[in-house]
Amino acid sequence: MSLEPRHLCNDLIRRSIELCALYRHAAAQVSEPGLRTVLDEEAQSLTEVIAELQAQMRSNANAPATRSGMIGAARQRLDAWLVRGIPRSDDAWIRLLAHHEQSLLRAFERVLTRVAPGDVTTALHRQLPRLRSIHLDMHSLAKAVGH
């Protein structure tokens, strides 16, 4: 695996780790039990995406990313701080997560256009349906709260 696909895949892994942590944080913060369950399920789906991408990296003798970057961690703290002060914070969490989910899906799609066909693209294509499902869930929730 050349430097670019390895770098791009690790970037996707880091972004997925950041979003998964944000889902888990949001699940702990929301007041609606049903929403908490949905957010936990989305976090679990992202955990599976991360694990499969990391396994793909290892199978190509590359070290996969295992944590978020410093900027991502700072962004997550900022997002959590901003949402905390908003009335109807459950709605704010949904809008924030929907935005980040859409961004992650677009990042996966961009990487697929930049990387030559091979093991990495195969692994990314396998994850697209799962990411699209998460995206549709969050998009539906965001529409329900008026985003």
Side-chain angles (χ1 to χ4, degrees):
M1 183 183 300
S2 71
L3 178 61
E4 183 179 10
R6 180 179 50 197
H7 173 73
L8 293 171
C9 193
N10 270 330
D11 184 53
L12 291 175
I13 292 170
R14 277 190 286 283
R15 288 181 72 162
S16 298
I17 290 169
E18 291 165 11
L19 182 56
C20 184
L22 192 60
Y23 269 110
R24 292 193 191 289
H25 184 77
Q29 299 300 314
V30 298
S31 58
E32 173 60 43
L35 178 57
R36 190 174 306 125
T37 300
V38 169
L39 298 181
D40 281 333
E41 289 171 356
E42 303 300 11
Q44 183 57 41
S45 290
L46 274 175
T47 299
E48 293 168 10
V49 168
I50 294 162
E52 289 184 31
L53 291 176
Q54 289 171 329
Q56 180 63 43
M57 292 288 289
R58 285 186 200 98
S59 74
N60 286 314
N62 291 300
T66 57
R67 57 189 168 90
S68 66
M70 288 180 10
I71 292 172
R75 185 181 324 121
Q76 179 185 349
R77 283 191 294 277
L78 177 63
D79 288 342
W81 181 78
L82 290 171
V83 170
R84 189 175 333 159
I86 297 174
R88 295 179 45 128
S89 64
D90 285 10
D91 296 354
W93 277 115
I94 291 169
R95 286 191 296 275
L96 178 68
L97 290 167
H99 171 76
H100 285 297
E101 186 60 49
Q102 183 176 20
S103 177
L104 180 63
L105 179 59
R106 285 183 180 154
F108 266 77
E109 291 168 343
R110 271 193 313 275
V111 167
L112 282 168
T113 65
R114 293 180 62 189
V115 177
D119 292 342
V120 172
T121 55
T122 301
L124 294 176
H125 276 293
R126 278 194 311 264
Q127 300 312 314
L128 273 179
R130 185 177 283 149
L131 289 171
R132 286 184 177 134
S133 175
I134 295 169
H135 173 69
L136 287 173
D137 289 346
M138 292 314 298
H139 179 71
S140 296
L141 285 171
K143 278 181 83 173
V145 298
H147 176 66

